[in-house]
Amino acid sequence: MPKRILSLLLTLLFGGLPMNSAQDSPNDIALIVYNVGAALIQEQRSLTLDEGINSVTLGDIAATIDPSSVMFKSLSDPAGTAVLEQSYRHNALDAYALLAPYVRKNVEITIADGVRFSGELLSLRDDQAILRMGPTEIVYISRYDIRGLTLPAPALDINPGPELRLLLRSESAGEQDVELSYLAGGMNWTADYHVILEADESALDLKGMVTLSNHSGRGYQNAALKLVAGEVSRIETEGEEFAQERMMAMSADAGIGGGGAVEQRDLSEYKLYAIARPISIADRDRKQIEFVSGAGIAANITYVFDSSPAFRGYYSPIDYIEGRGVTRAEVRTRLAFSTGGASGLGADLPAGRVRVYQADVDGAILLVGEDVVSHSPQGEDVMLDLGAAFDLTGERVQTDFSFVSRRVARESFEIKLRNRKADESANIIVPERLYRWRDWQITESSAPFVKVDNASIEFEIAVAPGAEESLTYTVEYSFPEEE
């Protein structure tokens, strides 16, 4: 881009443009961030107002602001200061925004290859600037090709960034401290957990990090960060890209690490957690903050072989023979622990991703599994799927299906479990879903079972190193009489 064009463009954007009214940068900022892309921003500013009507322009606000959510009040003179009008200007500094005030005026446009076009700007339409070069020459220039502009005169209302414009009435002149609050999109957080599983798999260490990301169009310096636990209902309106039906946030409790770095408080039916120290985060930045930790948390590894058909509800009897051959499935590894105080953690865990590591014989920490935990209040059990067990296999086969009587069917299964570990036994849980009809009973079983609910049972089979165990059972279904 030629220096002359660049210089003029910079002057237009940043050079000495008068504001409608004095403004100060925000201070005492508080961020209340929800984990579905929205935040409540609260800040204090100082304004110098005249007695009577004042036009105030506030910059340095989030580009993703919801203008309908703006709340403004004077802290110095709340009774004597009133908002008469408020409006929002996005002020996007792209080529279209810069050219918009100059329709029907002469401009000069430089495109990507350095070629310049001068003439009357007829219109901006369909991502194109339409320029009249002469009486019989019209040029269509794509907005994506524009690299420089020469404009006939600076526009007084072009400012770098979004603005709030307020029309205030003040009963007295002087400086006032005011408070501004609004909802904005582009702020988000997620919970990430790092778990170190001990060699004997009986305990683990856990560290939880809040990952805070900012795509709101502005940065925040020394802000008080707060996060709210619970489901906050919101109404999504057309055009609010950042509005969400649900806003959930993190929670933590007595097990929160960092020496009192997080304070828990009640807020209506929700939990509010405040980070004790100020947080600074730039636009398009991501920052992690530790919020929970625990060591020596009691843990348990289990294995699950699940090849039973899915249960979708008892809508009608399945009273016909289904051909079922041998079904092979993975034996999954599950890691279980409690969030309660007795386990060694004593903390709420917000929903997030969990990475589980374990030390190798040489001390190197290796990733052994990754899963997602749902929101788990203190005292709840957490079950993580770490993946398929390499040395454990299983297969399931239907060995019989017959009718004992006209409305009673009998079905039998055999499940084989193999342990290829050299020196470690394995307890394998086998869930079975009795999906044909609600009236069922187990008539034969080679191993004890637990009735989990009205449609499923569960076995637990111990398999010695290098051994194979066979589980068999028979179930009878009583179907209703046909109407």
Side-chain angles (χ1 to χ4, degrees):
M1 179 185 297
K3 291 183 179 179
R4 181 174 62 86
I5 297 177
L6 177 60
S7 175
L8 178 55
L9 181 57
L10 291 175
T11 299
L12 285 172
L13 294 181
F14 305 108
L17 297 180
M19 306 299 291
N20 290 339
S21 180
Q23 65 168 350
D24 289 337
S25 297
N27 50 68
D28 295 329
I29 299 176
L31 299 176
I32 297 89
V33 182
Y34 303 86
N35 71 341
V36 287
L40 176 62
I41 300 169
Q42 299 174 333
E43 59 187 45
Q44 293 184 15
R45 303 191 183 211
S46 296
L47 299 177
T48 301
L49 301 179
D50 297 327
E51 182 180 354
I53 304 300
N54 294 261
S55 177
V56 176
T57 300
L58 301 178
D60 199 13
I61 61 172
T64 54
I65 184 175
D66 177 356
S68 66
S69 70
V70 172
M71 293 183 289
F72 176 94
K73 70 176 181 179
S74 171
L75 302 177
S76 303
D77 186 13
T81 306
V83 179
L84 304 179
E85 294 180 7
Q86 63 186 37
S87 60
Y88 169 75
R89 290 179 60 89
H90 182 63
N91 288 334
L93 293 184
D94 59 13
Y96 263 31
L98 292 170
L99 285 172
Y102 300 101
V103 174
R104 295 297 179 182
K105 295 183 174 61
N106 291 325
V107 299
E108 182 179 285
I109 300 176
T110 302
I111 62 173
D113 56 7
V115 176
R116 300 179 184 179
F117 298 92
S118 297
E120 181 187 0
L121 180 62
L122 297 180
S123 71
L124 300 169
R125 186 180 59 189
D126 299 331
D127 284 338
Q128 289 181 328
I130 303 176
L131 205 65
R132 192 208 307 268
M133 301 281 291
T136 60
E137 184 180 2
I138 295 178
V139 177
Y140 293 80
I141 304 173
S142 169
R143 65 185 300 179
Y144 306 107
D145 290 335
I146 298 175
R147 294 295 181 269
L149 302 173
T150 301
L151 305 176
L156 297 181
D157 60 348
I158 293 182
N159 293 284
E163 299 172 334
L164 272 178
R165 296 185 177 184
L166 306 175
L167 193 64
L168 305 177
R169 183 180 64 233
S170 177
E171 294 183 356
S172 60
E175 186 173 284
Q176 290 194 29
D177 293 328
V178 300
E179 183 179 82
L180 180 69
S181 301
Y182 56 87
L183 292 168
M187 294 289 292
N188 199 12
W189 67 267
T190 56
D192 291 281
Y193 303 94
H194 304 291
V195 169
I196 306 297
L197 184 63
E198 292 187 0
D200 63 1
E201 299 179 339
S202 65
L204 57 86
D205 297 340
L206 179 145
K207 179 181 291 185
M209 308 289 289
V210 168
T211 301
L212 179 67
S213 61
N214 178 20
H215 291 270
S216 66
R218 63 162 289 190
Y220 306 90
Q221 294 293 321
N222 298 321
L225 178 62
K226 301 176 183 179
L227 305 115
V228 179
E231 296 187 10
V232 180
S233 177
R234 291 193 67 196
I235 299 173
E236 184 172 358
T237 57
E238 184 177 358
E240 294 178 4
E241 297 179 358
F242 52 87
Q244 304 288 338
E245 294 179 357
R246 298 173 57 202
M247 297 201 303
M248 299 174 59
M250 59 139 297
S251 58
D253 207 339
I256 293 171
V262 179
E263 179 186 358
Q264 174 184 325
R265 299 194 294 270
D266 290 333
L267 176 66
S268 183
E269 298 302 319
Y270 313 105
K271 298 292 184 180
L272 184 145
Y273 298 86
I275 308 300
R277 60 185 180 85
I279 300 297
S280 296
I281 184 168
D283 186 35
R284 301 185 180 275
D285 197 4
R286 177 176 293 184
K287 176 168 293 192
Q288 286 195 313
I289 306 162
E290 180 179 337
F291 74 99
V292 63
S293 64
I297 302 165
N300 182 39
I301 288 288
T302 59
Y303 302 99
V304 179
F305 176 72
D306 187 357
S307 63
S308 179
F311 175 71
R312 296 183 175 85
Y314 291 128
Y315 299 106
S316 62
I318 303 176
D319 56 358
Y320 49 86
I321 298 175
E322 292 181 304
R324 296 189 180 277
V326 177
T327 302
R328 293 179 175 85
E330 297 175 333
V331 177
R332 308 293 295 183
T333 304
R334 304 283 173 83
L335 171 62
F337 64 94
S338 172
T339 61
S343 71
L345 180 58
D348 299 344
L349 299 182
R353 180 169 52 183
V354 184
R355 295 182 176 92
V356 181
Y357 302 87
Q358 193 171 27
D360 196 5
V361 292
D362 60 359
I365 299 296
L366 305 177
L367 178 69
V368 297
E370 184 176 285
D371 200 5
V372 174
V373 61
S374 59
H375 180 69
S376 303
Q378 183 179 170
E380 292 294 310
D381 293 330
V382 175
M383 180 74 73
L384 303 175
D385 187 335
L386 302 185
F390 188 85
D391 295 321
L392 303 176
T393 61
E395 61 184 44
R396 178 181 187 270
V397 62
Q398 181 192 57
T399 57
D400 182 62
F401 181 87
S402 60
F403 280 94
V404 178
S405 64
R406 188 171 63 89
R407 303 308 301 164
V408 177
R410 177 182 296 158
E411 189 171 28
S412 299
F413 292 93
E414 180 180 24
I415 299 167
K416 295 181 179 180
L417 303 170
R418 290 178 287 274
N419 180 4
R420 301 308 186 191
K421 296 177 182 289
D423 55 4
E424 183 181 340
S425 63
N427 290 340
I428 303 177
I429 296 173
V430 182
E432 288 288 299
R433 286 168 284 278
L434 309 171
Y435 66 96
R436 289 185 177 274
W437 189 239
R438 62 173 61 94
D439 295 329
W440 57 265
Q441 63 174 337
I442 304 298
T443 58
E444 296 180 15
S445 176
S446 64
F449 64 88
V450 175
K451 183 178 179 180
V452 178
D453 53 39
N454 71 322
S456 60
I457 59 176
E458 194 171 85
F459 300 89
E460 184 171 353
I461 307 299
V463 187
E468 176 182 287
E469 294 291 337
S470 178
L471 160 67
T472 62
Y473 76 93
T474 299
V475 56
E476 285 189 0
Y477 294 94
S478 297
F479 301 122
E481 294 290 336
E482 295 180 349
E483 296 182 356

